[in-house]
């Protein structure tokens, strides 16, 4: 049995023993997430029935803790439909994309960060789901932009030429540019989940309102800081998720 199969099939107690045998450091968190630090660079995370590998900087920010209302909303909508199309812009390690794909939905995941993208591909294989992963940055035009010291290729949502039931956008401040490059794709979506900031909300909201979208929920986000061995959520001012529907 491969290590991936072993991790996926293990009970929680067995998983603890595996981690201990690998001489990894274990951080207990909220019951819904278990985080195992690997040499302070990568982590193995267990969220419900899913096991994910993550760069440590991504590992401490997971939807069930940092944006629980949004996470539950997406899971509820997906569970009510046996099939659908989901676009995850800023997919990171797949914390949203992989559970949705497991429900039988078609998933397109856009992630520009090479390290996070590698983890996304690994996690799809680890959890035996199929997703279409794109290692580019969503933007308002094709080309290249500088992102965290690296130049990455860009793509617009309208370049995809697909219709999605749900679109989630989380791109650390570039939401405005993503929206500008995806007006037709966004117009056709039933639900849009977008992380916004106080300084960009008015501009993004104007675009989505013009597309006929209405706000159905707003959720302030939590950031997570490591204090001792416990992860403690605290309200993160200025950042919030907005859920729109047609």
């Amino acid at each position: 049995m491969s290590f991936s199969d072993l991790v996926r099939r293990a009970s929680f107690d067995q998983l603890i023993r595996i981690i201990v045998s690998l001489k990894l450091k274990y951080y207990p968190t909220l019951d819904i997430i278990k985080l195992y630090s690997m040499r302070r660079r990568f982590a193995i995370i267990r969220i419900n029935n899913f096991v994910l590998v993550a760069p440590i900087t991504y590992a401490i920010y997971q939807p069930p803790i940092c944006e629980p209302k949004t996470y539950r909303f997406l899971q509820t909508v997906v569970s009510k439909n046996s099939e659908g199309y989901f676009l995850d812009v800023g997919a990171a390690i797949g914390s949203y994309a992989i559970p949705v794909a497991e429900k039988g939905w078609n998933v397109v995941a856009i992630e520009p960060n090479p390290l996070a993208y590698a983890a996304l591909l690994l996690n799809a294989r680890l959890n035996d789901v199929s997703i279409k992963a794109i290692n580019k940055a969503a933007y308002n035009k094709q080309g290249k932009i500088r992102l965290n010291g690296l130049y990455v290729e860009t793509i617009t949502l309208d370049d995809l030429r697909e219709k999605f039931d749900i679109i989630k956008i989380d791109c650390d401040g570039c939401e405005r540019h993503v929206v500008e490059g995806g007006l037709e794709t966004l117009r056709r979506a039933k639900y849009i989940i977008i992380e916004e900031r106080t300084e960009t909300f008015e501009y993004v909201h104007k675009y989505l309102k013009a597309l006929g979208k209405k706000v159905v929920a707003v959720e302030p986000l939590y950031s997570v800081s490591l204090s001792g061995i416990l992860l403690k959520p605290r309200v993160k001012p200025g950042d919030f998720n907005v859920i729109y529907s047609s």
Side-chain angles (χ1 to χ4, degrees):
M1 182 183 298
S2 68
F3 175 73
S4 296
D5 288 336
L6 189 63
V7 171
R8 286 177 56 205
R9 298 178 185 180
S11 67
F12 179 71
D13 288 341
Q14 290 172 329
L15 199 52
I16 292 294
R17 287 197 290 271
I18 293 171
I19 299 303
V20 171
S21 71
L22 294 175
K23 297 181 180 180
L24 308 180
K25 190 174 182 181
Y26 164 60
Y27 293 94
T29 69
L30 300 182
D31 288 342
I32 198 169
I33 291 181
K34 306 300 176 183
L35 172 65
Y36 314 89
S37 174
M38 300 172 64
R39 299 176 185 174
R40 298 185 179 180
R41 294 187 60 191
F42 285 86
I44 296 175
I45 311 166
R46 185 164 184 168
I47 305 177
N48 297 331
N49 295 323
F50 300 96
V51 174
L52 305 175
V53 174
I56 195 65
T57 52
Y58 286 81
I60 62 175
Y61 185 93
Q62 291 303 313
I65 288 179
C66 299
E67 42 195 69
K69 185 176 180 179
T70 304
Y71 189 77
R72 289 194 301 269
F73 172 84
L74 182 61
Q75 294 301 309
T76 298
V77 172
V78 170
S79 296
K80 290 180 179 179
N81 299 273
S82 59
E83 59 183 24
Y85 290 81
F86 175 56
L87 173 60
D88 193 351
V89 181
I93 65 169
S95 302
Y96 275 110
I98 288 172
V100 173
E102 192 272 337
K103 294 293 186 181
W105 279 46
N106 294 281
V107 174
V108 176
I110 300 176
E111 175 51 52
N113 183 289
L115 199 58
Y117 178 75
L120 173 65
L121 296 180
L122 176 61
N123 290 331
R125 294 185 61 186
L126 186 64
N127 291 279
D128 195 25
V129 299
S130 176
I131 64 174
K132 179 182 178 181
I134 301 173
N135 188 205
K136 295 182 179 181
Y139 207 60
N140 58 6
K141 61 182 179 180
Q142 292 188 13
K144 288 187 176 183
I145 59 172
R146 190 175 177 85
L147 185 67
N148 297 326
L150 299 173
Y151 284 98
V152 297
E153 292 186 12
T154 60
I155 188 174
T156 73
L157 302 192
D158 287 346
D159 288 334
L160 299 174
R161 301 184 183 279
E162 295 186 48
K163 180 180 179 181
F164 299 95
D165 299 287
I166 306 174
I167 298 174
K168 189 219 86 183
I169 301 172
D170 178 358
C171 54
D172 296 331
C174 68
E175 291 79 15
R176 169 179 174 172
H177 303 297
V178 174
V179 169
E180 289 173 343
L183 294 178
E184 179 59 24
T185 302
L186 293 167
R187 183 188 65 79
R188 299 168 68 189
K190 185 174 183 180
Y191 294 106
I192 299 168
I193 302 169
I194 183 166
E195 180 179 330
E196 299 187 13
R197 289 162 172 75
T198 304
E199 62 270 20
T200 61
F201 172 72
E202 183 177 357
Y203 187 91
V204 172
H205 179 70
K206 179 183 70 175
Y207 266 115
L208 295 181
K209 184 178 179 180
L211 295 176
K213 307 303 179 183
K214 299 177 181 179
V215 175
V216 297
V218 177
E219 179 182 29
L221 302 185
Y222 288 81
S223 60
V224 179
S225 59
L226 195 59
S227 176
I229 61 172
L230 295 177
L231 293 174
K232 297 181 179 180
R234 57 183 173 82
V235 174
K236 185 178 183 181
D239 289 6
F240 48 93
N241 279 346
V242 182
I243 301 175
Y244 292 86
S245 70
S246 297

